[in-house]
Amino acid sequence: MRYKDFTFPHEPERLEIRVRNRLGLAHCPGYGPAIQELGVGERVIIGEGAFFGAKAGEQYRRLEEIFFQQTPGLLVLPGHTAVQAHFSRLGWLGEGDGGIIRYSFEFIERPSASWAG
């Protein structure tokens, strides 16, 4: 997996890609509930992984630097199409002596220009 210029040294242990339909819900007097399809929403990519060894802390800090850039970038996913995405969440789940740093992440797909209507 890669985001911008950061290549994850190990693929995440858990990777989940969520997508959902946007629905408009309303109640029409005399008719009842009505649902309108408003299109497919952005993909949300979440996961967890770990950095190992003497460079674990350095690798996490580099990922954190990219998080704080606050600009979208290309997210290359294993077995899926690459997407432009915003890095929306990063979690540090460190354990023990720092030789293993577990992390969690969330990316939100950037809407394409064709979705602007």
Side-chain angles (χ1 to χ4, degrees), residues 26-53:
H27 182 78
C28 298
Y31 176 74
I35 298 176
Q36 181 181 6
E37 296 277 346
L38 300 175
V40 175
E42 296 78 21
R43 284 179 276 196
V44 177
I45 299 99
I46 58 174
E48 294 180 4
F51 298 122
F52 304 94

Side-chain angles (χ1 to χ4, degrees), residues 35-81:
I35 298 176
Q36 181 181 6
E37 296 277 346
L38 300 175
V40 175
E42 296 78 21
R43 284 179 276 196
V44 177
I45 299 99
I46 58 174
E48 294 180 4
F51 298 122
F52 304 94
K55 293 189 176 188
E58 179 183 323
Q59 291 167 336
Y60 181 82
R61 283 186 292 279
R62 178 66 185 120
L63 186 58
E64 190 176 53
E65 286 174 11
I66 292 170
F67 175 82
F68 284 115
Q69 289 176 357
Q70 297 183 320
T71 56
L74 185 67
L75 176 62
V76 178
L77 301 165
H80 293 275
T81 304

Side-chain angles (χ1 to χ4, degrees), residues 3-5 66-75 83-88 107-111:
Y3 182 65
K4 293 184 177 181
D5 66 345
I66 292 170
F67 175 82
F68 284 115
Q69 289 176 357
Q70 297 183 320
T71 56
L74 185 67
L75 176 62
V83 297
Q84 285 290 322
H86 294 270
F87 199 164
S88 57
F107 293 93
I108 298 176
E109 180 182 23
R110 182 177 186 180

